[in-house]
Amino acid sequence: MKKKIKTLLYLVVFIFIILPVSFAQNGYLQGRVLSVDNIPVSGASVVISGLTSGTSTDSNGFFILKISDQKKLTLVVTSIGYSKKEVEVVTGNGPVNIFVQLEEEALELDELIVSGVFDKRKRIESSIAITTIKKDELERIIPNSAAELLRLVPGVFVNSARGELINSIFSRGMVLDGSYYYVSIQEDGLPVIPFSGTLGASAFLRADVSLQKIEAVRGGSASILGVNAPGGIFNFISKTGTNKFEGNIVSRVGLEGNGKNPYYKQELSFSGPLLKDSSWTYFLGGHYRYANGAKYPGYPLSRGGQVRGNILKSYSSGSIKLNVKWLDDRSSSFEFTPSRDFNHPHPSGNFDNTSSVLIPAVHVRIPSVGEGIRAVDFNSKDLVHLQDKSVSLNWEQRLNKSWKMQHAIRLSSKSSETAGTVIVYPFQVNSFLFFALNNLLGNAGKYRFFDARSGQNYGTVTHTVDFTQPDPFIFNSDLHLPGNEVSPNSLFFTPVNYDKRTVHDFVYQGFVTKTFKKMKFTGGLYLSNGRYKAYTASLAQGYTTIENKPHLVAIEYAPEGGGLVKKITDENGIGLYGPAVYFNNDIRLSQNALFFGHQWDITPKLNFDWGFRYEWFSVDNTFINITTLPTPSPDGGIDHDPLTVYDNNLYTANAPVRFKKRLSTFSISGGLNYKVNDHLAYYARYSLGNRTPDIGNYINNETAASVVKEQAQQTVQFEGGIKYETDKIRFAAIPFISILSNVPQTGFGSDTGSLSSYYPTPVIYNKVHTIGIELEGTIKLLSHFNIRANAVFQQFYSDKFQFYDVGLMNGSQDDSIIDRSGKKISDMAAPVIFNITPSYFNKKWYADINMYYLGKRAANTSETFYLNAFTQFDVHVAYAINKNISIQAAINNLFNYFGVMEWTAPVTDGFPFTTFSTEAFTPDKRRANPDANYFTIGIQPRSYFLTLSVKF
């Protein structure tokens, strides 16, 4: 990594100092076109008055024109959505630099798009479905996560109910196999993480003043221009420098959790020229925030921030941009809340949508319990510690009128360190499984449960060794545990989990374009190489009370017949030291591609583009885990005290296993666009995408599970549409069909009821498809009133969909296949999703209300029950005190509605991880357990925000 950084620094020096000199020639007029608020205007036409030839601005608003010897000339600058501007220019003996500011005229600007296309084109000229979310929209939204901004994109389902970290983004019904499996999340044209899964891209995305806009491509050319991205490319584009000094301070305070929990965020940015001619500009911005969270566990759930910046050099034939990013942030995701009522899901008992079930504040050092097993200093208040240190370089170069090249390089180091839990569900303390999982079977006596912090006594359970008795676990009348209305005589099972993941990667993407009179040819190369380490261990077991902000419960054991009292847990309430789950991976991964594109302007109105992508990847993993049962220590365990039962087991890691995998894929896409006039166009596209397996398939799997998804998945998409744009109306209707083949389905069952003895079910490969239509539009009804809307109507079909039901008995002897083939299923793709945002604005005031609707959908393919439709309302009101100071008030989820986004199943067989087997919860199981507790995550509760923005 150090060698790569050194090489990159040498390249920066060469490009920034030496190369531009060769292009600083006389006889050129260069400049930049900006909006009145200093936002680059890409694709603007720049023509010398009286001449027919000219040029257009690049993605940063820069242009270059060769000029004659005349001393005075007039530039005519035009762009759709802006008023035409004429600029008088006086030339000199050297290069001339000018800056032009355009005033916005239209409702929506059909600006140049850069994502998902081989060469920059305007939306109405492109045979792809793309949505641009611009700066003014981004400034008004206060999202739960950066991913939630994509809710404004038609056809995209976003689940950010769990907070900033664990998000799901699904496009066009491609929802199988993980939250980001079919899409590429990018920053400035390069993927945030060069492989999906494991370290989710959303964990390293933050929306603040450094974000300029988002370009969202659905389907189409994403198959050939994104890394494993047949579902779409979502490109978060950062701001660049301005031609004069600007600063912005944004201070936000809020109350989350229905007005209960404080939130603070401070944002700051600076930008301006480095030289008088503004050929060098800079931008620096970032934020710091501190929040207790929407579901406060007793300690803050968010603290930290990021700094992002860039230096941009513009010269006569191109531009170079150096980007840096430093993120150091702590956050956490919410766990599922106990819920009841399959007809109208809602939190159980005294729980509501602001309740926290996370482990309380606890700090305990878990010692090493075997060779190669790490000792961990576990502190739940450490949350998920995320770090991202990256440097990238973007270089655009026009070699001459017909040749152009672009290069993007990034080196980054990312890490995620988690101290928390992975599952929270009720567990009856007077059950066979409770004693079995805690290695207490056969230890007859009385077990006392009490609050680990306050010492409050909750009561006792007596265990007898005579299993012929009706109840060998005798519930004592003095047992009074909170939460009996949810699950009687129970505690939350709250395993103590530690997870450390790091990735060091190098990413490069470059291409060369050759332009002819009516054609363009593009050839490109994508390279990524990284080393990924993942260490996951369930360090110990904790049990907490079933209530909001639960308390850790300590357990003591008094042997039958007398004897010294033994401690089942330590003084913190943590017991059974040792990894019930333990995985250690060291992976070297490379993912590379060659791609080619051809654009042909058949007539001035009709253009055709097509391209292909050949992708190959390799993974090399050295893997260690633990599958053997622990060995009881003969001398009292780690502390050599036989009375402290919690550390009396020793574990042995298996020998390292190494495996490699190589795979290649081929994808192709082609589309026609017919532009009737400047306002109306039609397009059609076919795409065949092949998706290589996710790296997550090779983590923690060294036996049967490692074959999951080793074959590439195939996606086929047909799409077409109509696009209409005027100064007052913008509309697009895009029907689509997406087909997913070779989709693997697997699950797991238990051999003995032990957490360390589960087995994967055989892999079944399925096929599904979705038919739908995306709608998007904006209309300016009055001079100060707009309505913006987007929607998708879709239906998901299971051509072949089978999965295993592992039955109630341990082992595979009662496993059976459930077949849901040939059905219309709504759990994979909600049939209706839409946003409608009416807004009012004038020189001083801005107000809008966003209505987000998610239609009724099945909970699983068995249609065991349905998740109800819901509508969320968000309100924003802003007032400009003067041109530099404004204040904004916002309320998210105005009516505090509880809409279920995600769920896990009831535990009907006593084995905890079956809660994640939602497909195995069949209608028969529902009928047998009509009042069972299951678990849900709802949209985040009502929150209030007040924001002050000062520009200078």
Side-chain angles (χ1 to χ4, degrees):
M1 178 61 74
K2 289 183 179 179
K3 186 176 180 180
K4 290 179 180 177
I5 292 175
K6 189 175 181 180
T7 302
L8 182 60
L9 289 174
Y10 284 142
L11 181 61
V12 170
V13 172
F14 172 76
I15 291 175
F16 268 77
I17 298 178
I18 300 174
L19 187 61
V21 175
S22 63
F23 291 96
Q25 307 171 33
N26 294 340
Y28 284 95
L29 187 153
Q30 61 186 27
R32 196 179 192 193
V33 179
L34 306 166
S35 66
V36 290
D37 55 353
N38 286 309
I39 303 304
V41 178
S42 56
S45 171
V46 183
V47 178
I48 298 174
S49 181
L51 301 179
T52 58
S53 60
T55 189
S56 60
T57 56
D58 64 15
S59 57
N60 294 307
F62 288 102
F63 68 88
I64 176 72
L65 270 176
K66 190 171 183 179
I67 57 178
S68 63
D69 294 333
Q70 61 190 103
K71 298 297 183 181
K72 286 187 178 181
L73 53 87
T74 301
L75 284 185
V76 180
V77 184
T78 58
S79 181
I80 294 177
Y82 292 96
S83 300
K84 181 175 75 171
K85 190 163 188 177
E86 295 187 357
V87 181
E88 298 290 333
V89 179
V90 178
T91 64
N93 296 323
V96 180
N97 291 280
I98 66 167
F99 287 87
V100 181
Q101 286 188 311
L102 300 182
E103 292 187 359
E104 186 175 341
E105 183 178 69
L107 176 67
E108 289 286 333
L109 313 180
D110 190 25
E111 64 182 333
L112 215 62
I113 56 176
V114 299
S115 307
V117 291
F118 283 107
D119 197 33
K120 302 177 184 67
R121 278 183 178 264
K122 295 178 181 178
R123 185 183 3 254
I124 204 164
E125 298 171 346
S126 300
S127 58
I128 62 172
I130 188 165
T131 296
T132 302
I133 308 171
K134 298 184 181 179
K135 171 179 168 287
D136 56 345
E137 294 176 272
L138 296 171
E139 288 178 346
R140 290 193 286 266
I141 301 171
I142 303 175
N144 294 320
S145 69
E148 193 173 74
L149 293 168
L150 300 176
R151 223 171 56 174
L152 297 175
V153 180
V156 175
F157 169 77
V158 179
N159 178 5
S160 62
R162 298 191 70 180
E164 287 186 311
L165 304 184
I166 303 178
N167 294 300
S168 302
I169 298 175
F170 303 140
S171 176
R172 292 187 171 176
M174 297 184 183
V175 302
L176 300 172
D177 291 304
S179 56
Y180 292 91
Y181 194 79
Y182 296 101
V183 301
S184 176
I185 308 298
Q186 300 183 352
E187 283 185 309
D188 295 317
L190 291 177
V192 174
I193 298 177
F195 44 81
S196 63
T198 61
L199 278 174
S202 66
F204 298 95
L205 275 178
R206 297 291 181 272
D208 62 18
V209 290
S210 63
L211 182 60
Q212 175 64 44
K213 65 178 179 177
I214 301 172
E215 291 186 346
V217 177
R218 288 100 67 197
S221 57
S223 297
I224 53 177
L225 284 168
V227 183
N228 275 336
I233 295 171
F234 304 105
N235 189 12
F236 288 68
I237 299 172
S238 57
K239 292 179 181 178
T240 56
T242 52
N243 67 316
K244 62 180 181 179
F245 174 78
E246 285 188 355
N248 193 9
I249 298 176
V250 180
S251 301
R252 177 172 297 144
V253 295
L255 290 171
E256 297 182 295
N258 197 20
K260 299 176 183 177
N261 308 321
Y263 170 103
Y264 308 96
K265 186 175 183 181
Q266 184 67 56
E267 302 178 57
L268 182 65
S269 70
F270 300 96
S271 64
L274 289 172
L275 298 179
K276 287 184 178 181
D277 64 2
S278 296
S279 60
W280 291 77
T281 62
Y282 71 91
F283 174 86
L284 183 66
H287 76 272
Y288 177 84
R289 59 101 176 71
Y290 186 97
N292 283 351
K295 302 180 181 184
Y296 180 50
Y299 48 89
L301 279 183
S302 293
R303 61 184 193 274
Q306 71 172 0
V307 176
R308 301 189 64 189
N310 57 71
I311 296 174
L312 178 66
K313 165 62 180 176
S314 173
Y315 53 96
S316 61
S317 57
S319 62
I320 307 162
K321 184 170 66 171
L322 176 68
N323 303 279
V324 294
K325 176 182 177 179
W326 178 75
L327 180 143
D328 194 322
D329 191 64
R330 295 179 189 269
S331 191
S332 185
S333 57
F334 309 123
E335 275 297 333
F336 292 80
T337 302
S339 301
R340 283 192 184 278
D341 193 344
F342 294 110
N343 294 317
H344 301 284
H346 63 272
S348 300
N350 293 320
F351 288 94
D352 61 30
N353 201 27
T354 67
S355 301
S356 172
V357 298
L358 294 179
I359 192 170
V362 59
H363 188 184
V364 57
R365 180 168 178 79
I366 309 294
S368 172
V369 293
E371 185 177 352
I373 300 172
R374 301 180 190 177
V376 175
D377 190 49
F378 179 91
N379 188 343
S380 58
K381 294 169 70 173
D382 284 342
L383 309 174
V384 181
H385 187 194
L386 297 149
Q387 292 184 303
D388 183 359
K389 304 166 187 174
S390 62
V391 57
S392 63
L393 190 69
N394 295 75
W395 177 25
E396 296 185 19
Q397 179 64 55
R398 295 180 294 276
L399 301 175
N400 54 39
K401 286 186 177 180
S402 63
W403 285 94
K404 180 179 68 176
M405 63 179 182
Q406 290 183 245
H407 304 275
I409 304 170
R410 190 192 67 217
L411 289 171
S412 73
S413 175
K414 296 180 173 68
S415 67
S416 169
E417 186 172 19
T418 302
T421 58
V422 291
I423 180 175
V424 179
Y425 85 101
F427 207 149
Q428 284 196 316
V429 299
N430 58 331
S431 67
F432 176 89
L433 189 59
F434 179 86
F435 280 79
L437 288 180
N438 288 281
N439 294 334
L440 300 175
L441 282 177
N443 296 315
K446 185 173 288 188
Y447 292 80
R448 184 172 77 95
F449 299 82
F450 59 97
D451 190 297
R453 177 164 295 179
S454 70
Q456 177 186 351
N457 187 58
Y458 293 124
T460 59
V461 170
T462 300
H463 172 31
T464 69
V465 294
D466 185 358
F467 289 96
T468 64
Q469 296 295 318
D471 188 2
F473 311 101
I474 300 172
F475 162 73
N476 296 290
S477 60
D478 65 344
L479 183 62
H480 299 287
L481 290 168
N484 278 333
E485 71 280 3
V486 174
S487 181
N489 309 323
S490 300
L491 295 170
F492 277 139
F493 173 57
T494 311
V496 175
N497 188 68
Y498 175 80
D499 185 280
K500 176 69 180 287
R501 305 188 181 211
T502 61
V503 58
H504 304 282
D505 66 72
F506 165 81
V507 180
Y508 166 80
Q509 179 167 283
F511 54 87
V512 176
T513 299
K514 170 64 176 176
T515 303
F516 295 92
K517 186 175 182 180
K518 293 186 177 182
M519 292 187 182
K520 292 180 182 178
F521 293 90
T522 301
L525 174 67
Y526 174 86
L527 301 171
S528 71
N529 186 280
R531 185 172 185 180
Y532 178 82
K533 292 184 178 183
Y535 178 91
T536 301
S538 180
L539 303 172
Q541 288 181 195
Y543 291 93
T544 57
T545 54
I546 299 177
E547 59 185 325
N548 180 33
K549 300 179 188 174
H551 297 191
L552 276 160
V553 175
I555 308 172
E556 289 182 347
Y557 158 56
E560 187 178 65
L564 296 174
V565 173
K566 297 183 179 181
K567 296 180 178 181
I568 305 304
T569 67
D570 64 16
E571 67 276 8
N572 298 289
I574 305 299
L576 202 62
Y577 289 2
V581 177
Y582 176 92
F583 302 112
N584 196 356
N585 301 266
D586 189 350
I587 301 175
R588 296 183 183 275
L589 180 97
S590 66
Q591 188 139 1
N592 310 295
L594 292 169
F595 53 90
F596 169 82
H598 172 214
Q599 294 173 276
W600 179 18
D601 293 328
I602 301 172
T603 71
K605 294 185 175 182
L606 180 66
N607 69 69
F608 169 67
D609 73 273
W610 73 279
F612 67 81
R613 184 183 187 94
Y614 176 73
E615 195 161 273
W616 66 101
F617 97 120
S618 67
V619 59
D620 184 343
N621 187 18
T622 301
F623 174 85
I624 302 171
N625 74 342
I626 292 177
T627 56
T628 56
L629 294 175
T631 302
S633 171
D635 60 354
I638 303 302
D639 62 1
H640 306 292
D641 182 355
L643 298 180
T644 55
V645 179
Y646 52 82
D647 68 348
N648 285 359
N649 288 324
L650 300 178
Y651 293 77
T652 302
N654 296 329
V657 174
R658 184 179 181 184
F659 61 88
K660 300 179 180 180
K661 179 66 181 178
R662 305 286 186 272
L663 195 66
S664 60
T665 63
F666 182 81
S667 302
I668 190 168
S669 180
L672 277 168
N673 190 85
Y674 181 71
K675 182 180 175 181
V676 179
N677 52 46
D678 287 341
H679 304 294
L680 179 65
Y682 302 92
Y683 88 94
R685 177 172 287 276
Y686 167 80
S687 302
L688 170 64
N690 280 282
R691 209 270 182 219
T692 55
D694 183 81
I695 188 177
N697 307 327
Y698 306 103
I699 292 177
N700 308 342
N701 296 324
E702 88 290 9
T703 55
S706 66
V707 303
V708 178
K709 297 179 253 172
E710 282 194 353
Q711 304 175 39
Q713 291 188 36
Q714 186 181 88
T715 65
V716 174
Q717 292 184 76
F718 299 91
E719 63 182 292
I722 178 173
K723 295 170 287 185
Y724 179 75
E725 298 184 3
T726 68
D727 287 350
K728 295 184 180 296
I729 298 174
R730 198 194 82 186
F731 174 76
I734 302 170
F736 66 88
I737 301 174
S738 60
I739 304 169
L740 278 64
S741 303
N742 202 28
V743 180
Q745 181 76 24
T746 189
F748 50 82
S750 173
D751 276 331
T752 66
S754 167
L755 290 177
S756 59
S757 61
Y758 64 88
Y759 62 91
T761 59
V763 181
I764 300 174
Y765 289 94
N766 293 318
K767 180 180 179 180
V768 298
H769 75 274
T770 302
I771 299 175
I773 183 170
E774 299 166 350
L775 303 174
E776 182 177 23
T778 306
I779 182 169
K780 188 173 183 178
L781 295 176
L782 302 170
S783 59
H784 300 294
F785 185 68
N786 293 342
I787 296 179
R788 185 180 69 247
N790 70 74
V792 62
F793 300 88
Q794 57 192 346
Q795 180 61 61
F796 179 90
Y797 296 85
S798 58
D799 303 293
K800 177 192 173 186
F801 198 87
Q802 299 176 336
F803 54 90
Y804 272 91
D805 182 352
V806 296
L808 295 177
M809 294 189 298
N810 294 324
S812 60
Q813 63 271 17
D814 67 336
D815 293 358
S816 61
I817 291 178
I818 297 176
D819 194 333
R820 297 292 179 229
S821 302
K823 297 189 67 176
K824 294 181 180 180
I825 306 293
S826 64
D827 77 312
M828 299 299 182
V832 182
I833 307 173
F834 65 77
N835 278 281
I836 297 177
T837 309
S839 60
Y840 171 82
F841 57 93
N842 59 33
K843 290 184 178 181
K844 290 287 187 179
W845 287 95
Y846 174 86
D848 74 28
I849 182 166
N850 174 249
M851 183 179 74
Y852 174 73
Y853 176 84
L854 184 65
K856 181 179 180 180
R857 63 203 192 279
N860 58 13
T861 57
S862 300
E863 298 180 278
T864 302
F865 68 102
Y866 279 81
L867 303 177
N868 296 328
F870 67 85
T871 305
Q872 176 181 336
F873 291 88
D874 300 331
V875 179
H876 311 93
V877 178
Y879 176 71
I881 298 171
N882 56 43
K883 67 176 184 179
N884 294 323
I885 302 174
S886 63
I887 190 167
Q888 174 184 313
I891 304 176
N892 290 348
N893 195 3
L894 177 66
F895 299 110
N896 201 31
Y897 193 85
F898 178 74
V900 177
M901 297 296 293
E902 195 174 352
W903 75 288
T904 61
V907 178
T908 56
D909 59 1
F911 184 64
F913 289 127
T914 58
T915 187
F916 299 124
S917 299
T918 54
E919 287 299 339
F921 185 58
T922 61
D924 288 340
K925 290 184 178 180
R926 176 191 167 178
R927 284 189 285 270
N929 301 273
D931 297 318
N933 274 287
Y934 58 105
F935 311 92
T936 65
I937 290 279
I939 60 174
Q940 292 193 25
R942 180 165 46 207
S943 54
Y944 307 86
F945 299 98
L946 189 64
T947 306
L948 176 67
S949 178
V950 180
K951 298 180 179 180
F952 53 91

